[in-house]
Amino acid sequence: MQATVGDRLVIHGKAVGSGERHGEVLEVRGADGGPPYMVRFDDGHEALLYPGSDCELEHVHKHSAH
């Protein structure tokens, strides 16, 4: 998994009925976009994260102004 600052992470609930967690990558600490990532979750909690198989990355596309 490779991320850049601003990308969104979705962590799917492991147990039936548990919700997803969504967050924004604030900092990439691994080489070449690899983990760990400092993430701010939508509830305001921040954590250093090594994503597992339950994690999905949503790349944010930056548009340039012409």
Side-chain angles (χ1 to χ4, degrees):
M1 179 175 287
Q2 292 183 318
T4 58
V5 172
D7 285 350
R8 300 280 300 166
L9 287 174
V10 178
I11 301 175
H12 301 286
K14 293 181 181 179
V16 174
S18 63
E20 295 180 335
R21 295 181 69 197
H22 298 257
E24 178 183 351
V25 176
L26 300 177
E27 186 178 337
V28 177
R29 295 192 179 178
D32 299 321
Y37 308 122
M38 181 58 72
V39 176
R40 179 184 300 125
F41 291 97
D42 291 351
D43 65 1
H45 176 78
E46 293 184 9
L48 189 62
L49 180 71
Y50 286 88
S53 61
D54 59 342
C55 186
E56 199 176 331
L57 186 63
E58 298 174 346
H59 294 285
V60 174
H61 300 286
K62 296 181 177 133
H63 300 283
S64 59
H66 294 283

